[in-house]
Every structure is written in structure tokens, then in C-alpha cells.
PDB file of all heavy atoms in Angstrom:
ATOM      1  N   GLY A   1      18.685 -10.095 -22.164  1.00  0.00           N
ATOM      2  CA  GLY A   1      19.061  -8.889 -21.454  1.00  0.00           C
ATOM      3  C   GLY A   1      20.159  -9.091 -20.423  1.00  0.00           C
ATOM      4  O   GLY A   1      20.377 -10.188 -19.925  1.00  0.00           O
ATOM      5  N   SER A   2      20.869  -8.019 -20.150  1.00  0.00           N
ATOM      6  CA  SER A   2      21.884  -7.982 -19.086  1.00  0.00           C
ATOM      7  C   SER A   2      21.720  -6.635 -18.403  1.00  0.00           C
ATOM      8  O   SER A   2      22.498  -5.713 -18.618  1.00  0.00           O
ATOM      9  CB  SER A   2      23.291  -8.147 -19.669  1.00  0.00           C
ATOM     10  OG  SER A   2      23.528  -7.208 -20.694  1.00  0.00           O
ATOM     11  N   VAL A   3      20.682  -6.527 -17.597  1.00  0.00           N
ATOM     12  CA  VAL A   3      20.241  -5.243 -17.064  1.00  0.00           C
ATOM     13  C   VAL A   3      21.329  -4.561 -16.235  1.00  0.00           C
ATOM     14  O   VAL A   3      21.663  -3.395 -16.473  1.00  0.00           O
ATOM     15  CB  VAL A   3      18.962  -5.423 -16.213  1.00  0.00           C
ATOM     16  CG1 VAL A   3      18.536  -4.085 -15.611  1.00  0.00           C
ATOM     17  CG2 VAL A   3      17.839  -5.997 -17.061  1.00  0.00           C
ATOM     18  N   LEU A   4      21.913  -5.269 -15.283  1.00  0.00           N
ATOM     19  CA  LEU A   4      22.918  -4.653 -14.413  1.00  0.00           C
ATOM     20  C   LEU A   4      24.134  -4.221 -15.225  1.00  0.00           C
ATOM     21  O   LEU A   4      24.666  -3.124 -15.025  1.00  0.00           O
ATOM     22  CB  LEU A   4      23.340  -5.618 -13.306  1.00  0.00           C
ATOM     23  CG  LEU A   4      24.277  -5.023 -12.254  1.00  0.00           C
ATOM     24  CD1 LEU A   4      23.558  -3.957 -11.440  1.00  0.00           C
ATOM     25  CD2 LEU A   4      24.829  -6.106 -11.337  1.00  0.00           C
ATOM     26  N   GLY A   5      24.569  -5.067 -16.145  1.00  0.00           N
ATOM     27  CA  GLY A   5      25.704  -4.720 -16.984  1.00  0.00           C
ATOM     28  C   GLY A   5      25.433  -3.489 -17.824  1.00  0.00           C
ATOM     29  O   GLY A   5      26.293  -2.602 -17.955  1.00  0.00           O
ATOM     30  N   ASP A   6      24.228  -3.390 -18.412  1.00  0.00           N
ATOM     31  CA  ASP A   6      23.881  -2.229 -19.235  1.00  0.00           C
ATOM     32  C   ASP A   6      23.854  -0.955 -18.394  1.00  0.00           C
ATOM     33  O   ASP A   6      24.320   0.100 -18.823  1.00  0.00           O
ATOM     34  CB  ASP A   6      22.518  -2.435 -19.898  1.00  0.00           C
ATOM     35  CG  ASP A   6      22.588  -3.400 -21.076  1.00  0.00           C
ATOM     36  OD1 ASP A   6      23.697  -3.598 -21.606  1.00  0.00           O
ATOM     37  OD2 ASP A   6      21.543  -3.959 -21.455  1.00  0.00           O
ATOM     38  N   LEU A   7      23.313  -1.045 -17.181  1.00  0.00           N
ATOM     39  CA  LEU A   7      23.249   0.134 -16.317  1.00  0.00           C
ATOM     40  C   LEU A   7      24.650   0.634 -15.959  1.00  0.00           C
ATOM     41  O   LEU A   7      24.923   1.832 -16.006  1.00  0.00           O
ATOM     42  CB  LEU A   7      22.470  -0.191 -15.036  1.00  0.00           C
ATOM     43  CG  LEU A   7      20.965  -0.420 -15.189  1.00  0.00           C
ATOM     44  CD1 LEU A   7      20.378  -0.917 -13.868  1.00  0.00           C
ATOM     45  CD2 LEU A   7      20.254   0.849 -15.633  1.00  0.00           C
ATOM     46  N   CYS A   8      25.541  -0.314 -15.628  1.00  0.00           N
ATOM     47  CA  CYS A   8      26.889   0.078 -15.198  1.00  0.00           C
ATOM     48  C   CYS A   8      27.782   0.474 -16.370  1.00  0.00           C
ATOM     49  O   CYS A   8      28.662   1.329 -16.222  1.00  0.00           O
ATOM     50  CB  CYS A   8      27.543  -1.064 -14.415  1.00  0.00           C
ATOM     51  SG  CYS A   8      26.722  -1.434 -12.842  1.00  0.00           S
ATOM     52  N   ASP A   9      27.568  -0.141 -17.516  1.00  0.00           N
ATOM     53  CA  ASP A   9      28.430   0.144 -18.668  1.00  0.00           C
ATOM     54  C   ASP A   9      28.218   1.547 -19.224  1.00  0.00           C
ATOM     55  O   ASP A   9      29.049   2.025 -20.002  1.00  0.00           O
ATOM     56  CB  ASP A   9      28.194  -0.885 -19.772  1.00  0.00           C
ATOM     57  CG  ASP A   9      28.819  -2.236 -19.436  1.00  0.00           C
ATOM     58  OD1 ASP A   9      29.623  -2.276 -18.490  1.00  0.00           O
ATOM     59  OD2 ASP A   9      28.482  -3.228 -20.102  1.00  0.00           O
ATOM     60  N   HIS A  10      27.127   2.179 -18.859  1.00  0.00           N
ATOM     61  CA  HIS A  10      26.862   3.527 -19.362  1.00  0.00           C
ATOM     62  C   HIS A  10      27.193   4.602 -18.324  1.00  0.00           C
ATOM     63  O   HIS A  10      26.686   5.714 -18.373  1.00  0.00           O
ATOM     64  CB  HIS A  10      25.408   3.648 -19.831  1.00  0.00           C
ATOM     65  CG  HIS A  10      25.161   2.927 -21.123  1.00  0.00           C
ATOM     66  ND1 HIS A  10      24.939   1.576 -21.182  1.00  0.00           N
ATOM     67  CD2 HIS A  10      25.157   3.375 -22.400  1.00  0.00           C
ATOM     68  CE1 HIS A  10      24.782   1.213 -22.448  1.00  0.00           C
ATOM     69  NE2 HIS A  10      24.912   2.278 -23.201  1.00  0.00           N
ATOM     70  N   VAL A  11      28.065   4.219 -17.383  1.00  0.00           N
ATOM     71  CA  VAL A  11      28.561   5.166 -16.386  1.00  0.00           C
ATOM     72  C   VAL A  11      30.010   5.495 -16.731  1.00  0.00           C
ATOM     73  O   VAL A  11      30.831   4.592 -16.900  1.00  0.00           O
ATOM     74  CB  VAL A  11      28.470   4.561 -14.966  1.00  0.00           C
ATOM     75  CG1 VAL A  11      29.134   5.470 -13.956  1.00  0.00           C
ATOM     76  CG2 VAL A  11      27.008   4.329 -14.598  1.00  0.00           C
ATOM     77  N   PRO A  12      30.363   6.770 -16.873  1.00  0.00           N
ATOM     78  CA  PRO A  12      31.740   7.141 -17.228  1.00  0.00           C
ATOM     79  C   PRO A  12      32.720   6.859 -16.092  1.00  0.00           C
ATOM     80  O   PRO A  12      32.322   6.581 -14.954  1.00  0.00           O
ATOM     81  CB  PRO A  12      31.636   8.641 -17.521  1.00  0.00           C
ATOM     82  CG  PRO A  12      30.460   9.096 -16.718  1.00  0.00           C
ATOM     83  CD  PRO A  12      29.485   7.955 -16.730  1.00  0.00           C
ATOM     84  N   ASP A  13      34.013   6.946 -16.396  1.00  0.00           N
ATOM     85  CA  ASP A  13      35.052   6.684 -15.395  1.00  0.00           C
ATOM     86  C   ASP A  13      35.012   7.707 -14.253  1.00  0.00           C
ATOM     87  O   ASP A  13      35.327   7.384 -13.107  1.00  0.00           O
ATOM     88  CB  ASP A  13      36.434   6.710 -16.051  1.00  0.00           C
ATOM     89  CG  ASP A  13      36.636   5.540 -17.003  1.00  0.00           C
ATOM     90  OD1 ASP A  13      35.975   4.508 -16.803  1.00  0.00           O
ATOM     91  OD2 ASP A  13      37.447   5.660 -17.942  1.00  0.00           O
ATOM     92  N   ARG A  14      34.660   8.943 -14.593  1.00  0.00           N
ATOM     93  CA  ARG A  14      34.574  10.001 -13.563  1.00  0.00           C
ATOM     94  C   ARG A  14      33.112  10.473 -13.527  1.00  0.00           C
ATOM     95  O   ARG A  14      32.755  11.487 -14.127  1.00  0.00           O
ATOM     96  CB  ARG A  14      35.516  11.141 -13.896  1.00  0.00           C
ATOM     97  CG  ARG A  14      36.971  10.694 -13.964  1.00  0.00           C
ATOM     98  CD  ARG A  14      37.939  11.852 -13.783  1.00  0.00           C
ATOM     99  NE  ARG A  14      37.772  12.866 -14.815  1.00  0.00           N
ATOM    100  CZ  ARG A  14      38.394  14.051 -14.810  1.00  0.00           C
ATOM    101  NH1 ARG A  14      39.200  14.365 -13.798  1.00  0.00           N
ATOM    102  NH2 ARG A  14      38.224  14.903 -15.794  1.00  0.00           N
ATOM    103  N   PRO A  15      32.264   9.735 -12.777  1.00  0.00           N
ATOM    104  CA  PRO A  15      30.822   9.951 -12.913  1.00  0.00           C
ATOM    105  C   PRO A  15      30.208  11.040 -12.051  1.00  0.00           C
ATOM    106  O   PRO A  15      29.113  11.527 -12.364  1.00  0.00           O
ATOM    107  CB  PRO A  15      30.249   8.592 -12.493  1.00  0.00           C
ATOM    108  CG  PRO A  15      31.227   8.074 -11.479  1.00  0.00           C
ATOM    109  CD  PRO A  15      32.567   8.577 -11.923  1.00  0.00           C
ATOM    110  N   TYR A  16      30.871  11.456 -10.955  1.00  0.00           N
ATOM    111  CA  TYR A  16      30.139  12.188  -9.935  1.00  0.00           C
ATOM    112  C   TYR A  16      30.237  13.703 -10.100  1.00  0.00           C
ATOM    113  O   TYR A  16      31.322  14.288 -10.126  1.00  0.00           O
ATOM    114  CB  TYR A  16      30.620  11.772  -8.547  1.00  0.00           C
ATOM    115  CG  TYR A  16      30.411  10.307  -8.282  1.00  0.00           C
ATOM    116  CD1 TYR A  16      31.455   9.496  -7.869  1.00  0.00           C
ATOM    117  CD2 TYR A  16      29.154   9.714  -8.491  1.00  0.00           C
ATOM    118  CE1 TYR A  16      31.261   8.137  -7.641  1.00  0.00           C
ATOM    119  CE2 TYR A  16      28.965   8.362  -8.275  1.00  0.00           C
ATOM    120  CZ  TYR A  16      30.011   7.577  -7.854  1.00  0.00           C
ATOM    121  OH  TYR A  16      29.810   6.240  -7.647  1.00  0.00           O
ATOM    122  N   ALA A  17      29.057  14.289 -10.188  1.00  0.00           N
ATOM    123  CA  ALA A  17      28.941  15.747 -10.330  1.00  0.00           C
ATOM    124  C   ALA A  17      29.321  16.433  -9.015  1.00  0.00           C
ATOM    125  O   ALA A  17      29.290  15.804  -7.941  1.00  0.00           O
ATOM    126  CB  ALA A  17      27.505  16.114 -10.709  1.00  0.00           C
ATOM    127  N   PRO A  18      29.672  17.720  -9.054  1.00  0.00           N
ATOM    128  CA  PRO A  18      30.027  18.443  -7.815  1.00  0.00           C
ATOM    129  C   PRO A  18      28.948  18.355  -6.746  1.00  0.00           C
ATOM    130  O   PRO A  18      29.254  18.244  -5.551  1.00  0.00           O
ATOM    131  CB  PRO A  18      30.222  19.884  -8.304  1.00  0.00           C
ATOM    132  CG  PRO A  18      30.631  19.735  -9.731  1.00  0.00           C
ATOM    133  CD  PRO A  18      29.864  18.557 -10.254  1.00  0.00           C
ATOM    134  N   GLU A  19      27.682  18.380  -7.158  1.00  0.00           N
ATOM    135  CA  GLU A  19      26.587  18.300  -6.194  1.00  0.00           C
ATOM    136  C   GLU A  19      26.593  16.956  -5.455  1.00  0.00           C
ATOM    137  O   GLU A  19      26.317  16.887  -4.254  1.00  0.00           O
ATOM    138  CB  GLU A  19      25.234  18.499  -6.900  1.00  0.00           C
ATOM    139  CG  GLU A  19      25.039  19.877  -7.511  1.00  0.00           C
ATOM    140  CD  GLU A  19      25.734  20.013  -8.864  1.00  0.00           C
ATOM    141  OE1 GLU A  19      26.249  18.981  -9.386  1.00  0.00           O
ATOM    142  OE2 GLU A  19      25.782  21.141  -9.387  1.00  0.00           O
ATOM    143  N   THR A  20      26.874  15.875  -6.193  1.00  0.00           N
ATOM    144  CA  THR A  20      26.939  14.549  -5.582  1.00  0.00           C
ATOM    145  C   THR A  20      28.096  14.465  -4.589  1.00  0.00           C
ATOM    146  O   THR A  20      27.950  13.943  -3.475  1.00  0.00           O
ATOM    147  CB  THR A  20      27.102  13.464  -6.657  1.00  0.00           C
ATOM    148  OG1 THR A  20      26.015  13.552  -7.585  1.00  0.00           O
ATOM    149  CG2 THR A  20      27.133  12.078  -6.039  1.00  0.00           C
ATOM    150  N   CYS A  21      29.250  14.988  -4.983  1.00  0.00           N
ATOM    151  CA  CYS A  21      30.421  14.980  -4.105  1.00  0.00           C
ATOM    152  C   CYS A  21      30.148  15.752  -2.821  1.00  0.00           C
ATOM    153  O   CYS A  21      30.529  15.322  -1.725  1.00  0.00           O
ATOM    154  CB  CYS A  21      31.624  15.572  -4.837  1.00  0.00           C
ATOM    155  SG  CYS A  21      32.122  14.626  -6.303  1.00  0.00           S
ATOM    156  N   ALA A  22      29.471  16.881  -2.956  1.00  0.00           N
ATOM    157  CA  ALA A  22      29.151  17.697  -1.786  1.00  0.00           C
ATOM    158  C   ALA A  22      28.175  16.964  -0.873  1.00  0.00           C
ATOM    159  O   ALA A  22      28.297  17.003   0.361  1.00  0.00           O
ATOM    160  CB  ALA A  22      28.566  19.035  -2.236  1.00  0.00           C
ATOM    161  N   TRP A  23      27.194  16.260  -1.466  1.00  0.00           N
ATOM    162  CA  TRP A  23      26.209  15.507  -0.667  1.00  0.00           C
ATOM    163  C   TRP A  23      26.893  14.375   0.103  1.00  0.00           C
ATOM    164  O   TRP A  23      26.614  14.160   1.287  1.00  0.00           O
ATOM    165  CB  TRP A  23      25.125  14.943  -1.574  1.00  0.00           C
ATOM    166  CG  TRP A  23      24.089  14.161  -0.814  1.00  0.00           C
ATOM    167  CD1 TRP A  23      22.971  14.633  -0.210  1.00  0.00           C
ATOM    168  CD2 TRP A  23      24.131  12.749  -0.560  1.00  0.00           C
ATOM    169  NE1 TRP A  23      22.294  13.612   0.410  1.00  0.00           N
ATOM    170  CE2 TRP A  23      22.983  12.442   0.218  1.00  0.00           C
ATOM    171  CE3 TRP A  23      24.999  11.727  -0.909  1.00  0.00           C
ATOM    172  CZ2 TRP A  23      22.698  11.146   0.635  1.00  0.00           C
ATOM    173  CZ3 TRP A  23      24.725  10.435  -0.480  1.00  0.00           C
ATOM    174  CH2 TRP A  23      23.581  10.159   0.283  1.00  0.00           C
ATOM    175  N   VAL A  24      27.786  13.646  -0.567  1.00  0.00           N
ATOM    176  CA  VAL A  24      28.495  12.544   0.094  1.00  0.00           C
ATOM    177  C   VAL A  24      29.314  13.065   1.270  1.00  0.00           C
ATOM    178  O   VAL A  24      29.317  12.477   2.359  1.00  0.00           O
ATOM    179  CB  VAL A  24      29.405  11.809  -0.918  1.00  0.00           C
ATOM    180  CG1 VAL A  24      30.327  10.822  -0.198  1.00  0.00           C
ATOM    181  CG2 VAL A  24      28.568  11.077  -1.954  1.00  0.00           C
ATOM    182  N   GLN A  25      29.979  14.187   1.080  1.00  0.00           N
ATOM    183  CA  GLN A  25      30.804  14.742   2.153  1.00  0.00           C
ATOM    184  C   GLN A  25      29.942  15.184   3.327  1.00  0.00           C
ATOM    185  O   GLN A  25      30.275  14.939   4.494  1.00  0.00           O
ATOM    186  CB  GLN A  25      31.629  15.920   1.628  1.00  0.00           C
ATOM    187  CG  GLN A  25      32.594  16.483   2.676  1.00  0.00           C
ATOM    188  CD  GLN A  25      33.529  17.524   2.106  1.00  0.00           C
ATOM    189  OE1 GLN A  25      33.531  17.771   0.897  1.00  0.00           O
ATOM    190  NE2 GLN A  25      34.314  18.161   2.959  1.00  0.00           N
ATOM    191  N   ALA A  26      28.803  15.818   3.033  1.00  0.00           N
ATOM    192  CA  ALA A  26      27.914  16.282   4.101  1.00  0.00           C
ATOM    193  C   ALA A  26      27.281  15.112   4.856  1.00  0.00           C
ATOM    194  O   ALA A  26      27.100  15.157   6.074  1.00  0.00           O
ATOM    195  CB  ALA A  26      26.835  17.187   3.517  1.00  0.00           C
ATOM    196  N   ALA A  27      26.949  14.035   4.107  1.00  0.00           N
ATOM    197  CA  ALA A  27      26.237  12.906   4.711  1.00  0.00           C
ATOM    198  C   ALA A  27      27.167  11.962   5.461  1.00  0.00           C
ATOM    199  O   ALA A  27      26.772  11.349   6.469  1.00  0.00           O
ATOM    200  CB  ALA A  27      25.475  12.138   3.634  1.00  0.00           C
ATOM    201  N   THR A  28      28.419  11.822   4.985  1.00  0.00           N
ATOM    202  CA  THR A  28      29.304  10.805   5.552  1.00  0.00           C
ATOM    203  C   THR A  28      30.620  11.356   6.090  1.00  0.00           C
ATOM    204  O   THR A  28      31.341  10.639   6.800  1.00  0.00           O
ATOM    205  CB  THR A  28      29.648   9.745   4.486  1.00  0.00           C
ATOM    206  OG1 THR A  28      30.467  10.341   3.465  1.00  0.00           O
ATOM    207  CG2 THR A  28      28.393   9.180   3.850  1.00  0.00           C
ATOM    208  N   GLY A  29      30.957  12.570   5.700  1.00  0.00           N
ATOM    209  CA  GLY A  29      32.245  13.124   6.091  1.00  0.00           C
ATOM    210  C   GLY A  29      33.386  12.683   5.190  1.00  0.00           C
ATOM    211  O   GLY A  29      34.542  13.070   5.407  1.00  0.00           O
ATOM    212  N   GLN A  30      33.074  11.865   4.172  1.00  0.00           N
ATOM    213  CA  GLN A  30      34.094  11.355   3.265  1.00  0.00           C
ATOM    214  C   GLN A  30      34.237  12.273   2.042  1.00  0.00           C
ATOM    215  O   GLN A  30      33.234  12.750   1.499  1.00  0.00           O
ATOM    216  CB  GLN A  30      33.738   9.948   2.777  1.00  0.00           C
ATOM    217  CG  GLN A  30      33.648   8.920   3.891  1.00  0.00           C
ATOM    218  CD  GLN A  30      34.982   8.711   4.581  1.00  0.00           C
ATOM    219  OE1 GLN A  30      35.998   8.508   3.933  1.00  0.00           O
ATOM    220  NE2 GLN A  30      34.968   8.767   5.912  1.00  0.00           N
ATOM    221  N   ILE A  31      35.479  12.503   1.638  1.00  0.00           N
ATOM    222  CA  ILE A  31      35.744  13.305   0.448  1.00  0.00           C
ATOM    223  C   ILE A  31      36.082  12.361  -0.700  1.00  0.00           C
ATOM    224  O   ILE A  31      37.037  11.573  -0.602  1.00  0.00           O
ATOM    225  CB  ILE A  31      36.911  14.289   0.693  1.00  0.00           C
ATOM    226  CG1 ILE A  31      36.553  15.247   1.836  1.00  0.00           C
ATOM    227  CG2 ILE A  31      37.245  15.065  -0.579  1.00  0.00           C
ATOM    228  CD1 ILE A  31      37.694  16.181   2.221  1.00  0.00           C
ATOM    229  N   LEU A  32      35.290  12.387  -1.743  1.00  0.00           N
ATOM    230  CA  LEU A  32      35.534  11.500  -2.877  1.00  0.00           C
ATOM    231  C   LEU A  32      36.841  11.876  -3.567  1.00  0.00           C
ATOM    232  O   LEU A  32      37.143  13.063  -3.735  1.00  0.00           O
ATOM    233  CB  LEU A  32      34.372  11.578  -3.875  1.00  0.00           C
ATOM    234  CG  LEU A  32      33.018  11.070  -3.372  1.00  0.00           C
ATOM    235  CD1 LEU A  32      31.964  11.186  -4.463  1.00  0.00           C
ATOM    236  CD2 LEU A  32      33.125   9.626  -2.909  1.00  0.00           C
ATOM    237  N   PRO A  33      37.645  10.883  -3.981  1.00  0.00           N
ATOM    238  CA  PRO A  33      38.944  11.171  -4.611  1.00  0.00           C
ATOM    239  C   PRO A  33      38.782  11.812  -5.982  1.00  0.00           C
ATOM    240  O   PRO A  33      37.739  11.647  -6.636  1.00  0.00           O
ATOM    241  CB  PRO A  33      39.592   9.787  -4.715  1.00  0.00           C
ATOM    242  CG  PRO A  33      38.448   8.828  -4.725  1.00  0.00           C
ATOM    243  CD  PRO A  33      37.394   9.438  -3.852  1.00  0.00           C
ATOM    244  N   PRO A  34      39.786  12.535  -6.431  1.00  0.00           N
ATOM    245  CA  PRO A  34      39.696  13.250  -7.720  1.00  0.00           C
ATOM    246  C   PRO A  34      39.399  12.346  -8.904  1.00  0.00           C
ATOM    247  O   PRO A  34      38.737  12.778  -9.855  1.00  0.00           O
ATOM    248  CB  PRO A  34      41.084  13.892  -7.849  1.00  0.00           C
ATOM    249  CG  PRO A  34      41.609  13.977  -6.452  1.00  0.00           C
ATOM    250  CD  PRO A  34      41.047  12.804  -5.725  1.00  0.00           C
ATOM    251  N   GLN A  35      39.859  11.086  -8.865  1.00  0.00           N
ATOM    252  CA  GLN A  35      39.686  10.214 -10.024  1.00  0.00           C
ATOM    253  C   GLN A  35      38.235   9.815 -10.300  1.00  0.00           C
ATOM    254  O   GLN A  35      37.941   9.272 -11.366  1.00  0.00           O
ATOM    255  CB  GLN A  35      40.540   8.950  -9.914  1.00  0.00           C
ATOM    256  CG  GLN A  35      40.303   8.105  -8.671  1.00  0.00           C
ATOM    257  CD  GLN A  35      41.284   8.440  -7.568  1.00  0.00           C
ATOM    258  OE1 GLN A  35      41.668   9.598  -7.413  1.00  0.00           O
ATOM    259  NE2 GLN A  35      41.704   7.432  -6.811  1.00  0.00           N
ATOM    260  N   VAL A  36      37.318  10.078  -9.359  1.00  0.00           N
ATOM    261  CA  VAL A  36      35.904   9.789  -9.633  1.00  0.00           C
ATOM    262  C   VAL A  36      35.073  11.062  -9.736  1.00  0.00           C
ATOM    263  O   VAL A  36      33.857  10.996  -9.959  1.00  0.00           O
ATOM    264  CB  VAL A  36      35.299   8.854  -8.562  1.00  0.00           C
ATOM    265  CG1 VAL A  36      36.038   7.528  -8.518  1.00  0.00           C
ATOM    266  CG2 VAL A  36      35.273   9.512  -7.193  1.00  0.00           C
ATOM    267  N   ARG A  37      35.707  12.214  -9.591  1.00  0.00           N
ATOM    268  CA  ARG A  37      34.995  13.487  -9.686  1.00  0.00           C
ATOM    269  C   ARG A  37      34.951  13.954 -11.137  1.00  0.00           C
ATOM    270  O   ARG A  37      35.976  13.965 -11.816  1.00  0.00           O
ATOM    271  CB  ARG A  37      35.685  14.557  -8.843  1.00  0.00           C
ATOM    272  CG  ARG A  37      35.601  14.346  -7.342  1.00  0.00           C
ATOM    273  CD  ARG A  37      36.543  15.306  -6.623  1.00  0.00           C
ATOM    274  NE  ARG A  37      36.330  15.303  -5.184  1.00  0.00           N
ATOM    275  CZ  ARG A  37      35.613  16.221  -4.534  1.00  0.00           C
ATOM    276  NH1 ARG A  37      35.063  17.225  -5.202  1.00  0.00           N
ATOM    277  NH2 ARG A  37      35.461  16.140  -3.234  1.00  0.00           N
ATOM    278  N   ALA A  38      33.778  14.317 -11.611  1.00  0.00           N
ATOM    279  CA  ALA A  38      33.649  14.821 -12.974  1.00  0.00           C
ATOM    280  C   ALA A  38      34.345  16.175 -13.107  1.00  0.00           C
ATOM    281  O   ALA A  38      34.253  17.019 -12.207  1.00  0.00           O
ATOM    282  CB  ALA A  38      32.180  14.949 -13.348  1.00  0.00           C
ATOM    283  N   GLY A  39      35.054  16.340 -14.219  1.00  0.00           N
ATOM    284  CA  GLY A  39      35.711  17.600 -14.490  1.00  0.00           C
ATOM    285  C   GLY A  39      34.760  18.593 -15.137  1.00  0.00           C
ATOM    286  O   GLY A  39      33.620  18.257 -15.468  1.00  0.00           O
ATOM    287  N   PRO A  40      35.216  19.816 -15.349  1.00  0.00           N
ATOM    288  CA  PRO A  40      34.362  20.871 -15.926  1.00  0.00           C
ATOM    289  C   PRO A  40      33.799  20.507 -17.293  1.00  0.00           C
ATOM    290  O   PRO A  40      32.701  20.929 -17.645  1.00  0.00           O
ATOM    291  CB  PRO A  40      35.298  22.081 -16.006  1.00  0.00           C
ATOM    292  CG  PRO A  40      36.373  21.796 -15.012  1.00  0.00           C
ATOM    293  CD  PRO A  40      36.557  20.321 -14.999  1.00  0.00           C
ATOM    294  N   THR A  41      34.542  19.707 -18.074  1.00  0.00           N
ATOM    295  CA  THR A  41      34.090  19.364 -19.435  1.00  0.00           C
ATOM    296  C   THR A  41      33.490  17.963 -19.514  1.00  0.00           C
ATOM    297  O   THR A  41      33.085  17.530 -20.591  1.00  0.00           O
ATOM    298  CB  THR A  41      35.265  19.466 -20.416  1.00  0.00           C
ATOM    299  OG1 THR A  41      36.296  18.553 -20.013  1.00  0.00           O
ATOM    300  CG2 THR A  41      35.825  20.878 -20.448  1.00  0.00           C
ATOM    301  N   ASP A  42      33.445  17.234 -18.385  1.00  0.00           N
ATOM    302  CA  ASP A  42      32.899  15.869 -18.403  1.00  0.00           C
ATOM    303  C   ASP A  42      31.378  15.903 -18.440  1.00  0.00           C
ATOM    304  O   ASP A  42      30.730  16.769 -17.835  1.00  0.00           O
ATOM    305  CB  ASP A  42      33.343  15.094 -17.156  1.00  0.00           C
ATOM    306  CG  ASP A  42      34.819  14.770 -17.179  1.00  0.00           C
ATOM    307  OD1 ASP A  42      35.363  14.616 -18.288  1.00  0.00           O
ATOM    308  OD2 ASP A  42      35.427  14.678 -16.097  1.00  0.00           O
ATOM    309  N   THR A  43      30.821  14.919 -19.144  1.00  0.00           N
ATOM    310  CA  THR A  43      29.368  14.762 -19.205  1.00  0.00           C
ATOM    311  C   THR A  43      28.913  13.871 -18.047  1.00  0.00           C
ATOM    312  O   THR A  43      29.471  12.793 -17.840  1.00  0.00           O
ATOM    313  CB  THR A  43      28.938  14.129 -20.531  1.00  0.00           C
ATOM    314  OG1 THR A  43      29.374  14.958 -21.613  1.00  0.00           O
ATOM    315  CG2 THR A  43      27.419  13.975 -20.588  1.00  0.00           C
ATOM    316  N   VAL A  44      27.944  14.321 -17.286  1.00  0.00           N
ATOM    317  CA  VAL A  44      27.390  13.519 -16.194  1.00  0.00           C
ATOM    318  C   VAL A  44      25.924  13.248 -16.468  1.00  0.00           C
ATOM    319  O   VAL A  44      25.282  13.958 -17.229  1.00  0.00           O
ATOM    320  CB  VAL A  44      27.559  14.218 -14.829  1.00  0.00           C
ATOM    321  CG1 VAL A  44      29.022  14.414 -14.497  1.00  0.00           C
ATOM    322  CG2 VAL A  44      26.826  15.547 -14.804  1.00  0.00           C
TER     323      VAL A  44
END
């Protein structure tokens, strides 16, 4: 097994749903960059 590798390899390039982005901004004040934000047609 390669547990950590398997967990990370199944994460897309733009993984974060709008709800996650909103939570990060509310919790930390940081705005996640567009390149990690899931688009309307991306699967999260």
C-alpha cells in the first residue's frame, strides 16, 4: 500500500468547492487563488 499517495492522487488540480473557499476566507481572511477553485463543471 501507499496510503498517502493514493489519497492525494485522487484529488483534482482544482479541488475546492465554493463552500470550502468561503469557509477558508471566513476562518483565515485568505482568498484562495483561482487555480485551485473548482469551476462550474468541475467534479469535487
Side-chain angles (χ1 to χ4, degrees):
S2 53
V3 178
L4 186 67
D6 284 340
L7 290 172
C8 294
D9 286 347
H10 287 81
V11 173
D13 292 335
R14 300 201 300 173
Y16 299 127
E19 295 81 7
T20 303
C21 298
W23 180 87
V24 170
Q25 184 173 355
T28 68
Q30 298 296 311
I31 299 175
L32 295 181
Q35 57 265 35
V36 300
R37 291 169 170 261
T41 60
D42 290 330
T43 301
V44 298

